[in-house]
């Protein structure tokens, strides 16, 4: 399983438990979450972490080039923390608005999925308008895998100020391979993914 265990799916899961040897999860946090929600002994679960294509992140970009560019990347779904960077409907300023005067050389590059659901469209449009209004934010839209990897390789930081419960974070693994530090929140599997065995640890000089 690659997603959160949900109480509403418990009946369907319970009907199949007799036929299962193991439930594979993608992190230690996810393993505990699945066991707790479905009432399964933890020994019935095992961790099979996500993987990445490390070839997309070579050759490495020199640390001095990454730091000189001052590019910050946000590549997750908009509802998972983008308003903390660009400002929300409540009128509170986002991080980039506060940085516009203090450090105008820092530029946020926003990209993500091309998948706007009807119920989220008004919120997404608001966030896109905020991106377009701020002088230090670039709205790149959806990128291909190679384009995104190139953006990550050249970035100074990856920003993910979220409270979303990630069961793993492939983006964190990819940014490690790119030698780009991720600034995020200690929620769910996010602390585990960069520091534990869920992804390759970066030895890139920009991390030190």
């Amino acid at each position: 399983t690659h997603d959160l265990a949900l109480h509403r799916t418990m009946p369907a899961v319970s009907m199949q438990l007799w036929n299962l040897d193991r439930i594979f999860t993608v992190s230690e946090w996810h393993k505990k979450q699945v066991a707790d929600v479905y009432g399964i002994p933890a020994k019935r679960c095992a961790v099979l972490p996500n993987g990445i294509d490390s070839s997309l992140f070579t050759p490495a970009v020199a640390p001095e080039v990454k730091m000189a560019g001052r590019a910050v990347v946000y590549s997750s779904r908009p509802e998972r923390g983008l308003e903390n960077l660009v400002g929300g409907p409540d009128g509170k300023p986002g991080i980039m608005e506060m940085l516009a005067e203090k450090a105008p050389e820092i530029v946020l590059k926003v990209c993500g999925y091309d998948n706007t659901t009807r119920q989220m469209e008004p919120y997404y449009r608001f966030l896109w308008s905020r991106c377009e209004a701020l002088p230090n934010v670039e709205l790149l839209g959806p990128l291909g895998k190679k384009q995104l990897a190139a953006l990550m390789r050249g970035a100074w930081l990856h920003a993910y100020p979220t409270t979303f419960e990630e069961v793993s974070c492939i983006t964190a693994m990819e940014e490690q391979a790119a030698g780009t530090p991720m600034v995020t929140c200690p929620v769910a599997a996010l602390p585990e993914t960069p520091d534990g065995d869920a992804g390759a640890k970066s030895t890139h000089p920009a991390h030190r």
Side-chain angles (χ1 to χ4, degrees):
T1 179
H2 68 280
D3 216 336
L4 288 166
L6 303 173
H7 289 289
R8 66 172 179 262
T9 60
M10 187 172 178
V13 172
S14 298
M15 290 174 61
Q16 297 298 325
L17 285 177
W18 69 273
N19 200 32
L20 301 179
D21 295 312
R22 287 287 185 276
I23 295 177
F24 287 96
T25 62
V26 292
S27 67
E28 289 293 340
W29 182 89
H30 190 207
K31 173 182 174 179
K32 184 179 185 304
Q33 195 264 345
V34 167
D36 289 347
V37 170
Y38 292 148
I40 300 168
K43 65 182 180 181
R44 295 286 302 277
C45 301
V47 176
L48 182 65
N50 287 312
I52 63 169
D53 182 355
S54 59
S55 68
L56 292 169
F57 303 97
T58 56
V61 176
E64 58 270 20
V65 174
K66 294 166 71 71
M67 289 185 280
R70 290 293 192 270
V72 180
V73 176
Y74 181 93
S75 63
S76 298
R77 297 193 66 86
E79 67 270 23
R80 297 183 185 179
L82 181 57
E83 74 170 65
N84 293 319
L85 294 168
V86 300
D90 57 5
K92 291 182 180 179
I95 292 170
M96 296 310 298
E97 189 171 349
M98 293 185 282
L99 285 176
E101 293 184 4
K102 297 181 179 180
E105 72 279 5
I106 298 175
V107 177
L108 176 67
K109 297 178 182 287
V110 178
C111 55
Y113 306 104
D114 186 15
N115 181 22
T116 304
T117 60
R118 181 177 300 176
Q119 63 268 30
M120 296 300 291
E121 186 174 1
Y123 182 57
Y124 280 20
R125 288 189 181 279
F126 170 82
L127 293 174
W128 299 153
S129 69
R130 290 295 302 153
C131 291
E132 292 169 345
L134 293 171
N136 54 351
V137 179
E138 293 181 14
L139 184 58
L140 303 179
L143 300 180
K145 195 168 186 177
K146 291 183 179 179
Q147 290 175 301
L148 178 58
L151 181 65
M152 289 177 166
R153 286 174 53 235
W156 173 53
L157 291 174
H158 190 103
Y160 190 26
T162 188
T163 57
F164 179 75
E165 290 185 318
E166 293 279 6
V167 297
S168 175
C169 188
I170 292 176
T171 296
M173 299 176 190
E174 290 178 332
E175 287 291 26
Q176 288 177 91
T180 303
M182 174 180 272
V183 181
T184 189
C185 303
V187 177
L190 284 170
E192 173 188 343
T193 305
D195 299 323
D197 294 328
K201 296 179 182 178
S202 173
T203 56
H204 196 288
H207 266 175
R208 293 200 288 270

